[in-house]
Amino acid sequence: MDAKPKEAGSGSPSHLTLRDLTKQFGSVRAVDKINIEVKGGEFVTLLGPSGSGKTTTLQMIAGFVEPTAGEILIDEQRITAPAYKRDIGMVFQNYALFPHMTAAENVAFPLKVRRTKKDRMRQLVTEALEMVGLADRGNSYPKQLSGGQQQRIALARALVFRPRIVLLDEPLGALDKKLREELQLELKRIQEQLQVTMIYVTHDQEEALVMSDRIAVFNEGKIEQLAEAEELYERPNSLFVADFIGESNIFRGSFTQSNGHYSLSTGKRKLAVSEHAEPPDEEAQGTLVVRPERLKVMNASADAKPRPDQNAIQATVKEVIYLGGERKYILATSDGENLIARHQVGTGEVEPRPGDEVIACWQIEHGVAVFDQPSRGKQPEQKE
Ligand code: ATP
């Protein structure tokens, strides 16, 4: 795709506020008092499993669904205008192009509705088509274009009138993996070039990690955590987030303190916990989360011994999976727990094989303590 069109995206990008936004459908509370502040020019993703309230939230911002309670503000102004007057661009999963119009006519549509002058319209349409890399396909009809091309046209149509905010609902969901990955990067680049505020809905955590400035993780109509990708991954604030974003080793138990040191007692073992993770009360229940790449696997017979600043668990290698650049180890402990570890390939270290007796260890600092909060939504099953 080419450089930024001169006209598009000028002016300062809009700031969006959702305040205690709620939607009740009969007995279903689809969206439950959510609060989000999106800065101008920010790319925020609403991520969560099916039915967690992402689309309903987007549709309330767009004006297609009336909130039951709460407020939506754009640039500090409460918005109540009908959908077509909100100056919001939208892109859906199913392209939603008009089949009887050419690509250029589709892109021109929002400008026609706004009674833009003909010359100006021609110029803006050309620039928008250039921006999505389809300057030569303006005369094609949607059915003559591939899925990826149709979605680029849909994006050009959403951007051509310089909307205050662009909302995208699983826009790449219908495309194959390779094309999806290509378009993720292009979409992000366009968003950065235009400095337009974008709200993006997906249930695909990798997509969210690649594209977003910040991610709001939805669970049963509530936002579990709203943070940058790295923070969600490294410091999840709930078991739900830890489990939804990436893979995890999860140990459940009660947190105890002795001599100023915290540990987690699982019943089967006692694991040291970072001194920064102070439990909210004595005997707090919760989970210790250890990411697979933090788990080091050493052959038990080798000289290597865990250090005092590490937790160590004996296990047997069940499976070794080559992932290109990385190996994934599935380990079984004598208690029947499964652990997952990931190692970079080619580091020169001895690589354990299936059947090997190993010690899995991690630095105490790398275990993330997540304390139970009874008020939270459904927590995922423990993976053991
Ligand atoms: P998906 O990824 O499957 O689209 P989502 O996270 O976008 O899921 P929503 O579509 O917002 O979730 O749905 C949230 C809840 O609200 C679900 O329980 C859904 O069944 C319900 N719901 C959504 N729209 C309506 C409606 N028009 N009438 C009744 N219930 C609805």
Side-chain angles (χ1 to χ4, degrees), residues 25 28 30 49-56:
F25 289 113
V28 177
S50 183
S52 57
K54 310 177 299 287
T55 294
T56 305

